[in-house]
Amino acid sequence: MSDGPATPLISVVIPTYNRSALLRLTLTALAGQRMPATRFEVVVADDGSTDDTRHTVESFADRLSLRYHHQEDLGFRAAAARNAGARLASADVLAFVDTGVLPGPDFLTAHLAAHQRPGPPRAVLGYTYGYRPADPIPGLAEAVRSRTPEEIVGMFGSSPDFRDDRYPTFASCGFDLARVPLSWQLFWSLNCSVPAADFHAVGGFDENFRSWGGEDIELGFRLDRRGLAFDVSREAWAVDTPHPRENRQETDPNPSNVLTILHKHPEPVTELLWAWFCRHLPQLEDTRAWHLRQELPAIRRAVTYVRNRDVTAELAHLRDTVPAGTRVAVIGCGGTLPPGFPPAHLVDFDDKLLRGLPADPAYSVHHGLGIRTVLPDDAVDVVLVTSRMTPLWRRWRAHVLTEANRIGRTVHGPLVDPAARPAGTVAG
């Protein structure tokens, strides 16, 4: 296979596993790009296929500048495959598409143009039609076998069901992701691009993800922390091909992988993301954007409301009543500990106050709401939930208590046991 041009402008990385027929559709669409084939390269990153994937790739050698990487089949390792493909890529911009995604004819031109606009480095989300893993659009699977991507959009483009699954969020902000808090959670690897230098600087995809889902938004989280802007490009569109999934894990949310994200980046927003994926708030609309509109403003208000609330009396009461050696966790610890407070896990949603706690190895400090901590089951003997949790109590009471009982043997505090509430404490 050709090594391609010395300096392609953009490299397309396609992870694949035993889906040669779908891969052929994707490569055919890439061969139909209006961008000259000498200006881009395609890297197929094979996660251990045993079908005719390699032969399929080789059959496009006269139409595309191709590189091929095959890794041993050691189970689901899409993140490792993508990283291996990115290491082989030679362009300054990396585009990622999934096997079976059919890029429109100006797909690469549009992705490249988005990166060339003035401003900070950016991660680009390409608009993707037809991505409905659990409920494929009738007739779409048949159409992709005989129609070009443009023809498919012409056939189905008027159907609301054909829209990008993220369309409600895109439309709500006028397709300006600068107006969307936490836009990194919309960074899906089925159609996206990023500067190669930034991709490698943050370490690429986390290869600890060994099952479907979550590794792309976790990468988005790190790109966001690096300072990249997130843009959506309607011009960099593609069509997703319906195909059978091996199991429900490829159509349902994957709470275990979201828990991995939480453990890697523990803070309130990842707790909320975990709560949504685990369907802990079934009364809310079924959209991942719910906490952007409702919960984050509520947390900001709570921080202001109890910024000056002093809970040292509650902490001192715990100090004075538990036996020496008791393992302790505090949810809503605030920024001041009474003298002689025992070693403890300290949780609070006000990160500014947490920075004022003593830098002492006896205290493990966590920025969080207490909805889901990074502590293991039965990590402590006693959990104290302080009155600092008052403004969040009505909303999150059941979840905080569930978590407190998961990590501790007993749970105390003025909100938990109103009869024991110190004078002046406000009920939730």
Side-chain angles (χ1 to χ4, degrees):
M1 284 181 281
S2 167
D3 288 334
T7 54
L9 299 178
I10 186 167
S11 300
V12 187
V13 178
I14 311 169
T16 194
Y17 178 72
N18 282 343
R19 287 175 173 167
S20 63
L22 289 174
L23 179 62
R24 181 175 295 278
L25 294 174
T26 300
L27 294 176
T28 298
L30 288 169
Q33 294 293 293
R34 293 191 178 106
M35 177 183 286
T38 56
R39 299 180 65 191
F40 68 93
E41 67 179 358
V42 177
V43 183
V44 176
D46 189 344
D47 190 19
S49 294
T50 56
D51 63 1
D52 61 343
T53 289
R54 186 181 184 98
H55 175 74
T56 298
V57 175
E58 290 172 344
S59 71
F60 282 83
D62 61 338
R63 288 176 278 174
L64 293 169
S65 175
L66 286 163
R67 297 174 185 266
Y68 175 74
H69 170 80
H70 183 277
Q71 64 190 24
E72 183 181 359
D73 184 1
L74 299 176
F76 187 97
R77 294 195 296 150
R82 289 190 183 97
N83 287 344
R87 288 191 293 270
L88 279 180
S90 56
D92 290 338
V93 175
L94 299 173
F96 294 91
V97 297
D98 283 351
T99 299
V101 169
L102 312 183
D106 294 314
F107 172 87
L108 292 177
T109 299
H111 267 290
L112 197 59
H115 290 282
Q116 293 172 339
R117 289 199 295 269
R122 50 182 45 88
V124 179
L125 292 60
Y127 192 89
T128 307
Y129 293 102
Y131 179 65
R132 294 165 58 91
D135 186 21
I137 298 170
L140 180 57
E142 294 74 22
V144 299
R145 290 196 287 267
S146 59
R147 306 280 185 170
T148 68
E150 284 181 302
E151 291 171 336
I152 296 166
V153 173
M155 292 176 64
F156 295 93
S158 62
S159 170
D161 292 339
F162 190 58
R163 292 170 175 166
D164 190 301
D165 199 43
R166 299 161 291 186
Y167 177 83
T169 301
F170 292 158
S172 70
C173 67
F175 284 76
D176 178 8
L177 295 189
R179 296 166 54 191
V180 177
L182 312 186
S183 53
W184 51 266
Q185 67 172 339
L186 303 171
F187 186 73
W188 296 359
S189 58
L190 81 168
N191 175 2
C192 65
S193 64
V194 66
D198 294 295
F199 176 85
H200 294 299
V202 301
F205 290 95
D206 185 341
E207 298 182 14
N208 290 316
F209 286 86
R210 297 294 300 272
S211 58
W212 184 85
E215 74 272 16
D216 45 8
I217 62 174
E218 192 278 327
L219 172 61
F221 183 98
R222 286 180 282 126
L223 292 171
D224 175 76
R225 291 302 189 266
R226 183 171 168 80
L228 270 69
F230 286 76
D231 285 354
V232 56
S233 173
R234 299 191 78 167
E235 294 76 25
W237 61 265
V239 177
D240 184 61
T241 302
H243 58 276
R245 263 62 181 185
E246 278 77 7
N247 51 59
R248 286 183 57 84
Q249 190 183 53
E250 289 194 67
T251 59
D252 289 347
N254 190 344
S256 64
N257 280 357
V258 181
L259 189 58
T260 297
I261 296 173
L262 172 60
H263 276 260
K264 188 173 181 180
H265 310 287
E267 59 179 76
V269 294
T270 51
E271 283 184 86
L272 293 174
L273 187 66
W274 176 86
W276 181 86
F277 268 100
C278 292
R279 298 294 192 264
H280 275 283
L281 289 177
Q283 73 274 22
L284 295 178
E285 58 184 305
D286 186 17
T287 168
R288 204 175 313 180
W290 62 264
H291 63 273
L292 306 183
R293 295 189 301 274
Q294 295 178 260
E295 304 305 327
L296 295 181
I299 293 169
R300 287 192 289 267
R301 290 193 298 269
V303 167
T304 301
Y305 183 69
V306 294
R307 170 62 59 80
N308 297 319
R309 174 164 295 187
D310 183 359
V311 294
T312 53
E314 297 170 40
L315 298 175
H317 178 73
L318 178 72
R319 176 201 62 195
D320 296 340
T321 55
V322 299
T326 299
R327 300 173 301 164
V328 172
V330 180
I331 298 176
C333 62
T336 305
L337 300 178
F341 196 72
H345 297 280
L346 305 173
V347 180
D348 201 279
F349 50 89
D350 189 337
D351 58 341
K352 181 178 180 180
L353 290 184
L354 291 177
R355 290 195 290 270
L357 291 173
D360 188 325
Y363 304 120
S364 175
V365 178
H366 309 270
H367 181 210
L369 301 168
I371 296 170
R372 176 69 195 217
T373 70
V374 297
L375 300 177
D377 293 355
D378 300 319
V380 298
D381 302 305
V382 175
V383 178
L384 172 65
V385 180
T386 78
S387 61
R388 282 183 50 79
M389 298 300 294
T390 297
L392 301 176
W393 199 241
R394 184 181 301 277
R395 187 69 155 170
W396 291 104
R397 174 182 179 278
H399 306 86
V400 172
L401 288 178
T402 296
E403 176 64 4
N405 281 287
R406 183 187 71 82
I407 65 174
R409 294 181 179 176
T410 60
V411 183
H412 301 287
L415 300 177
V416 178
D417 181 8
R421 184 179 299 126
T425 298
V426 179

